[in-house]
Amino acid sequence: MRVFLVLVGLFWLMPTVGLLLSSLRSPTDISESGWWQVFTSPAQLTVENYSAILSNETITGSLFSTILITVPATLLVLVIGSLAGYAFAWLDFPGRDWWFLVVVGLLVVPVQVALIPVSKLFGTIGIFETTLGVVLFHTAFGLPFAIFLLRNFFAEIPKELLEAARLDGAGEIRLFTRVVMPLGGPAIASLGIFQFLWVWNDMLVALIFADSESPPITVALQQQVRQFGNNIDVLAPGAFLSMLIPLVVFFAFQRQFVSGVMAGAVK
């Protein structure tokens, strides 16, 4: 079984390895042979592509634009989703269950349905083709899943624990920040990773709503595709650079991610 899993892992990583090796080859070598030739001719490896792309203001600017979009969109979803999840789990207010059903129903609304009406709305209020518009769009479509996930996680917190905190004089804000948030750390970390990856790798929303003069990395790389061939010496290192930050985020929160995924699976 271990050998089988190792083989599956190697097969799964093959495109990434091919991308990395292609990014370390010159345009001439890329056009003449496949990336696997580096195993017989390691002298082909060079960092000239990365030196060129790091001096490319379009690519470096697009990485900065992607960070400006991804970080706020992730933080807003985590903050608003946590507050709403706690409210749906432990606060009594009129129509709570019906409102939660509305949130669950929003999970099935595809992004493509909202592109045209939201474009008209953003154009009317003056935030079309702006970073703010992209952030708001990602936040709006990330909240239903965030509220659904965190509400179910917070509902599993023992009621006696919250009642004991209330008897000690804790208000709702203190109860949320001192009790619920620490216990919900794994689920919040998992949600943050998912939201970060979704926003970072998005191209459809960015292609429509982002500023064409400072596009995110996905749109910038798409613009490097030529009419009669791919600009692989730019696409390969650019794509690999765009993978590094999500990988760093994932491995930094890997333990919390696993804990959040497994939460509720066993008692």
Side-chain angles (χ1 to χ4, degrees):
M1 180 59 67
R2 292 181 179 178
V3 173
F4 174 75
L5 292 177
V6 169
L7 292 176
V8 171
L10 292 175
F11 182 77
W12 188 267
L13 290 173
M14 188 177 298
T16 304
V17 174
L19 179 66
L20 173 62
L21 296 179
S22 296
S23 67
L24 294 172
R25 304 176 72 211
S26 65
T28 303
D29 293 331
I30 292 174
S31 61
E32 291 179 351
S33 60
W35 57 266
W36 51 87
Q37 297 296 325
V38 299
F39 295 108
T40 57
S41 301
Q44 295 181 358
L45 299 178
T46 178
V47 294
E48 292 181 358
N49 292 339
Y50 285 94
S51 299
I53 203 170
L54 290 176
S55 60
N56 188 329
E57 295 182 357
T58 300
I59 300 299
T60 54
S62 65
L63 285 172
F64 183 70
S65 299
T66 308
I67 294 174
L68 288 180
I69 292 172
T70 306
V71 173
T74 302
L75 292 179
L76 285 174
V77 167
L78 292 181
V79 173
I80 300 175
S82 299
L83 293 171
Y86 173 75
F88 279 116
W90 293 110
L91 297 183
D92 292 326
F93 55 90
R96 183 185 67 175
D97 295 336
W98 289 105
W99 282 112
F100 185 68
L101 288 178
V102 172
V103 173
V104 174
L106 291 175
L107 289 171
V108 302
V109 178
V111 175
Q112 294 81 355
V113 173
L115 293 178
I116 294 179
V118 174
S119 298
K120 293 181 179 179
L121 174 62
F122 284 1
T124 302
I125 61 179
I127 60 173
F128 186 71
E129 287 194 351
T130 63
T131 300
L132 177 62
V134 183
V135 171
L136 291 178
F137 191 96
H138 282 300
T139 301
F141 274 87
L143 279 175
F145 177 74
I147 296 172
F148 174 77
L149 175 68
L150 295 180
R151 182 266 178 189
N152 293 336
F153 188 90
F154 292 160
E156 297 295 325
I157 297 175
K159 186 177 181 180
E160 295 78 8
L161 182 63
L162 301 181
E163 292 177 348
R166 289 192 177 98
L167 290 176
D168 289 338
E172 295 299 334
I173 296 178
R174 189 179 183 88
L175 186 65
F176 174 75
T177 56
R178 297 295 182 89
V179 178
V180 176
M181 289 294 287
L183 293 176
I188 295 173
S190 301
L191 174 64
I193 291 174
F194 279 124
Q195 179 69 11
F196 188 92
L197 294 179
W198 288 335
V199 179
W200 185 274
N201 293 323
D202 168 75
M203 189 178 73
L204 176 62
V205 176
L207 191 63
I208 296 174
F209 293 98
D211 188 355
S212 57
E213 296 182 358
S214 57
I217 185 64
T218 51
V219 178
L221 292 176
Q222 185 269 341
Q223 294 173 349
Q224 296 295 323
V225 179
R226 296 169 179 168
Q227 182 177 3
F228 299 104
N230 293 331
N231 196 4
I232 192 64
D233 55 306
V234 176
L235 289 175
F240 196 80
L241 282 177
S242 69
M243 294 170 55
L244 288 181
I245 294 180
L247 286 175
V248 170
V249 171
F250 175 79
F251 285 112
F253 297 97
Q254 183 179 15
R255 183 173 300 177
Q256 290 83 353
F257 175 77
V258 175
S259 300
V261 171
M262 296 299 295
V266 293
K267 286 289 184 180

